[in-house]
Amino acid sequence: MNLSLENLEKQFQDRIDAGDNIEPKDWMPEKYRKTHIRQISQHAHSEIVGMLPEGNWITRAPSLRRKVALLAKVQDEAGHGLYLYSAAETLGISRDELFNQLHTGKAKYSSIFNYPAVTWADMGAIGWLVDGAAIINQVMLTRTSYGPYARAMVRICKEESFHQRQGFEIMLTLSKGTAEQKEMAQDALDRWWWPSLMMFGPTDAASTHTEQSMKWKIKRKTNDELRQQFIDITAPQAEFLGLKIPDPALQWNEERGHYDFGEINWDEFWQVVKGYGPCNKERINARVKAWDEGAWVREAALAYAEKKDSIQKAI
Ligand code: FAQ
């Protein structure tokens, strides 16, 4: 058997090309493992940090029904974070290290969560646009080549579609409400539209990882393809709501069979990614505070596990 690195890499690529899932104990190139740790952990951190803008509105939801739905959604996001941290751990990195990377700024999380949620309509816009964008990306990831990540995505996508609908329903209620409510919905769309498009990452030309990630079927579609898909689905929904997407260049292009759209402000995107967005500091401080204040819970859980283990051994 030829176990040279070159041959192992070729066999690995053959498996990917044949559509095999890669499982935790399978041989994999170090870069494949690292790319997955980076992407899955960025995704997990996004879910956990993503709880903050909405968590802020649970106590101020306008009715019991809205409160219950929002609470369930935010709890789902915690669950998504946990599946994803578990998937990342199968690649040989500890949960403590993953959190440490988030708290020290070594690991990224989605740019979108560095924007503030200032009105109730933002709960609608986040569900409709942010979860809507997340689903487009994540449906693709149900077919990603790493088994634990792909399987986590199947369940996450089911929950995300409930999230998207609860957001759309908030927008629908507001846009059919009083003039003031409709104005709130429009204002939320104005503020969340462009950051939602940025969630898909830089253009394909500026993306550092897309080419290799497509070869390894980590990604099945490029950033630009997914962004276009999101715009094509969302533009008619805005029309249905009677709201105007804040892009004068947005227009259906019969020839391309897609919507044309205006230039994204990439300077803003990179500023937010580098830590200079409106809420970056606030978000990280909130996560570090939660980690510090939760130390006693981790210690108690550990002490309980050790005690249980020693009783088990003594029997
Ligand atoms: N924000 O070469 P690429 C959610 C970084 S979940 C920050 O194109 P890649 C649920 C990228 O890391 C939302 N950084 O990278 C929810 C790389 O930097 P690095 C999260 C970004 O990985 C809803 C550099 O730019 N979803 O919302 C962003 O091939 C509501 C070059 O970029 C996922 O994480 C960004 N937007 O493609 C929760 C999905 N974009 O690491 C609560 C999984 C790019 O080399 C409420 N991730 N960067 O230092 C992916 O599919 C991919 O990682 C992409 C980026 C598509 C995000």
Side-chain angles (χ1 to χ4, degrees):
M1 205 173 10
N2 182 351
L3 287 180
S4 70
L5 188 60
E6 201 182 325
N7 198 47
L8 285 170
E9 281 176 355
K10 186 186 170 310
Q11 282 174 16
F12 180 82
Q13 189 62 50
D14 289 346
R15 286 190 62 193
I16 298 275
D17 294 344
D20 271 10
N21 264 2
I22 305 302
E23 296 298 337
K25 290 192 175 148
D26 294 349
W27 186 88
M28 61 186 81
E30 190 53 16
K31 196 171 166 212
Y32 178 88
R33 195 178 72 82
K34 288 216 166 109
T35 300
H36 260 109
I37 291 178
R38 180 186 64 77
Q39 182 168 319
I40 300 173
S41 65
Q42 169 176 304
H43 196 164
H45 299 325
S46 302
E47 296 282 355
I48 300 297
V49 177
M51 295 168 71
L52 296 168
E54 289 171 299
N56 180 39
W57 277 92
I58 292 171
T59 54
R60 291 177 287 159
S63 70
L64 183 60
R65 178 171 167 265
R66 293 289 186 213
K67 191 189 287 248
V68 169
L70 186 62
L71 192 58
K73 179 184 191 292
V74 174
Q75 280 178 340
D76 284 352
E77 283 150 10
H80 298 175
L82 294 182
Y83 314 149
L84 288 163
Y85 284 126
S86 300
E89 282 175 302
T90 65
L91 291 155
I93 185 161
S94 70
R95 183 96 45 121
D96 281 2
E97 176 55 21
L98 292 168
F99 279 122
N100 183 49
Q101 290 181 355
L102 172 67
H103 298 159
T104 55
K106 191 173 165 223
K108 295 187 167 74
Y109 57 88
S110 183
S111 50
I112 192 77
F113 302 115
N114 292 308
Y115 291 86
V118 292
T119 74
W120 170 252
D122 289 11
M123 297 305 97
I126 291 176
W128 173 37
L129 301 173
V130 176
D131 285 276
I135 293 171
I136 301 272
N137 175 277
Q138 289 169 176
V139 166
M140 163 190 83
L141 293 173
T142 60
R143 295 186 304 117
T144 191
S145 58
Y146 188 56
Y149 192 23
R151 289 188 288 274
M153 280 299 129
V154 173
R155 177 156 176 193
I156 290 179
C157 280
K158 286 186 186 152
E159 293 175 350
E160 297 286 26
S161 60
F162 153 69
H163 298 173
Q164 196 269 352
R165 271 176 272 169
Q166 74 90 43
F168 188 77
E169 204 226 339
I170 293 174
M171 294 303 271
L172 192 60
T173 306
L174 291 174
S175 60
K176 283 192 183 334
T178 62
E180 201 184 352
Q181 286 173 316
K182 189 165 179 186
E183 217 172 281
M184 268 172 71
Q186 181 63 56
D187 167 63
L189 171 57
D190 290 348
R191 285 180 291 105
W192 290 92
W193 175 253
W194 291 105
S196 298
L197 299 190
M198 294 173 194
M199 283 176 73
F200 296 96
T203 60
D204 294 349
S207 164
T208 36
H209 303 292
T210 296
E211 195 186 342
Q212 182 61 66
S213 289
M214 294 287 283
K215 268 193 205 141
W216 278 332
K217 296 187 182 164
I218 294 173
K219 281 171 146 179
R220 299 272 186 160
K221 289 184 182 175
T222 70
N223 300 358
D224 286 337
E225 284 168 343
L226 292 172
R227 189 168 12 249
Q228 181 73 62
Q229 195 180 332
F230 173 72
I231 293 169
D232 290 348
I233 289 174
T234 313
Q237 294 174 351
E239 213 168 295
F240 181 81
L241 291 171
L243 300 177
K244 195 165 167 17
I245 289 178
D247 178 1
L250 188 82
Q251 199 181 343
W252 178 251
N253 182 326
E254 196 63 52
E255 211 173 296
R256 287 201 315 121
H258 292 292
Y259 280 86
D260 290 336
F261 57 96
E263 183 63 23
I264 291 170
N265 183 343
W266 292 113
D267 283 347
E268 176 182 322
F269 170 74
W270 290 116
Q271 284 299 314
V272 175
V273 170
K274 285 178 190 154
Y276 306 110
C279 299
N280 294 59
K281 284 204 178 76
E282 189 183 324
R283 300 292 184 236
I284 288 298
N285 288 346
R287 288 309 316 156
V288 171
K289 184 167 178 276
W291 176 258
D292 290 345
E293 289 177 359
W296 69 272
V297 179
R298 293 190 298 278
E299 280 160 22
L302 206 62
Y304 176 72
E306 277 165 6
K307 195 171 153 191
K308 215 171 142 197
D309 194 42
S310 64
I311 293 170
Q312 207 76 36
K313 279 187 188 134
I315 297 173

